Amino acid sequence: MELVNWTELTNLRVIRKLSEIIRSRWNLGIAFTDVEGSIRAVPEGSVYEFDREMCQLVASSKEGFDACCATLKDVTLTLRDEHKDSNETPRPHWRTCHAGMIEVGVPIVIRSKYLGAVFVSGFIKKDAGDGQKDEVVQLVRRFNVDTEAAKKSIKQVPVLGESNIDYLTELLELIVEEIVGFQTELYKKERRINQLNKELVTRYQYGNIIGKSRTMQEVYRLLDKISGSESTVMIQGENGTGKELVAKAIHYNGPRKDKIFVVQNCSAFNDNLLDSELF
């Protein structure tokens, strides 16, 4: 089972707001990768959409798209290895990608477990100058990108100074903080639910039903037989004899113990509705 619901994370208000800030300020988009370096939070049946025209040109060919994915994966695994070696949260990782542009990844570590990274890529450092732009144009030609189209697109590639890069990294770290907080709360809720389920199973064990006589032993053997059955079971008895306790013992000792136990007041039904509800 996957530890992170990536699609759900992208819909969190704070993450959406931070993404909008990054997009509006620098025309850059964020991407998520899981622990194996695969791009996540992509609708099923579609491919990852790159926000910058230059990145779109590179990714329009299979070779270019594979190179983009490989770069993200390589950074993700580098961060994972750093975490594995030191058992500490790795620092943000910078790299020049296959197309000659800068890519920065910030690791996502929750409860000492490395789960992936959040990325921004597709910009040039300000001190690199026009020489870096020329190099990008030359590099992207390897992926069957038209030279004139590349020269036109390079003008739209964001150029970030040192202070802007630091600010961008801080925004990515805020996104990671939001993910960590959200996932930590989910873990707490899941742990509490599991704890309550265990308490329910313990509370409604057969041993908690009063009665050790031969007749009650027969009842327990019968409960063992029917607790795993899909058949409808009718429990009869006088008021106060423990019908609901037996019903819960069947439920919490059977395959449906993780499901909700629903109690229905049958006295509120007329005869026809009662037959329909029970049978």
Side-chain angles (χ1 to χ4, degrees):
M1 185 179 68
E2 192 169 44
L3 295 175
V4 179
N5 186 328
W6 298 101
T7 303
E8 190 174 40
L9 287 178
T10 59
N11 291 326
L12 293 179
R13 182 178 178 278
V14 175
I15 292 180
R16 281 167 44 204
K17 186 64 177 178
L18 291 170
S19 300
E20 290 170 6
I21 292 173
I22 292 172
R23 188 183 301 276
S24 62
R25 189 177 181 93
W26 299 293
N27 190 31
L28 296 169
I30 66 172
F32 295 100
T33 56
D34 61 20
V35 67
E36 298 299 330
S38 300
I39 298 174
R40 306 312 306 257
V42 180
E44 188 176 350
S46 65
V47 298
Y48 176 67
E49 294 184 1
F50 295 87
D51 295 278
R52 282 74 59 211
E53 185 175 340
M54 180 63 79
C55 292
Q56 290 176 358
L57 286 173
V58 174
S60 60
S61 68
K62 183 181 184 306
E63 295 81 2
F65 180 80
D66 289 345
C68 293
C69 294
T71 302
L72 290 174
K73 182 173 184 176
D74 188 43
V75 176
T76 302
L77 297 183
T78 297
L79 290 168
R80 187 181 71 178
D81 291 342
E82 288 179 6
H83 177 259
K84 186 186 299 181
D85 293 339
S86 67
N87 205 32
E88 296 181 357
T89 301
R91 296 179 60 82
H93 190 89
W94 300 77
R95 180 170 297 189
T96 301
C97 76
H98 53 285
M101 293 176 284
I102 302 297
E103 184 168 66
V104 56
V106 176
I108 302 170
V109 177
I110 302 176
R111 298 165 67 196
S112 300
K113 181 173 290 187
Y114 178 75
L115 298 179
V118 57
F119 285 91
V120 163
S121 57
F123 63 91
I124 295 174
K125 291 185 70 173
K126 190 173 183 178
D127 57 10
D130 292 334
Q132 184 63 34
K133 291 185 177 182
D134 294 336
E135 183 178 341
V136 170
V137 172
Q138 294 302 315
L139 285 172
V140 300
R141 291 177 60 190
R142 296 179 301 167
F143 305 107
N144 298 318
V145 175
D146 180 74
T147 302
E148 292 304 315
K151 288 181 178 179
K152 179 182 177 181
S153 298
I154 196 64
K155 297 176 182 178
Q156 301 175 18
V157 172
V159 180
L160 277 61
E162 205 66 47
S163 60
N164 274 326
I165 294 175
D166 290 341
Y167 181 38
L168 173 60
T169 305
E170 288 177 10
L171 292 177
L172 292 178
E173 289 173 337
L174 285 175
I175 289 175
V176 171
E177 286 180 16
E178 186 67 18
I179 293 173
V180 172
F182 177 75
Q183 288 294 137
T184 300
E185 286 302 313
L186 278 185
Y187 288 147
K188 288 180 181 177
K189 290 178 181 177
E190 289 175 359
R191 188 166 60 247
R192 180 58 178 159
I193 290 171
N194 291 334
Q195 180 183 352
L196 290 173
N197 281 337
K198 290 178 181 178
E199 289 176 1
L200 285 171
V201 171
T202 302
R203 181 178 179 184
Y204 294 108
Q205 287 178 341
Y206 301 156
N208 292 335
I209 301 177
I210 297 174
K212 305 297 181 182
S213 65
R214 180 177 298 178
T215 302
M216 288 303 299
Q217 294 301 320
E218 290 294 330
V219 171
Y220 299 147
R221 281 194 285 272
L222 181 59
L223 292 179
D224 280 332
K225 290 181 180 179
I226 63 178
S227 61
S229 172
E230 295 293 332
S231 301
T232 300
V233 178
M234 175 177 283
I235 303 169
Q236 295 177 307
E238 300 294 332
N239 289 338
T241 55
K243 295 187 294 298
E244 185 173 337
L245 184 62
V246 170
K248 288 181 177 179
I250 294 172
H251 177 82
Y252 290 111
N253 287 278
R256 296 169 295 276
K257 61 184 178 183
D258 293 328
K259 308 297 183 181
I260 297 174
F261 181 85
V262 180
V263 178
Q264 187 65 260
N265 181 9
C266 295
S267 63
F269 295 114
N270 61 37
D271 292 345
N272 291 332
L273 285 176
L274 182 60
D275 286 344
S276 175
E277 183 70 20
L278 294 179
F279 306 106

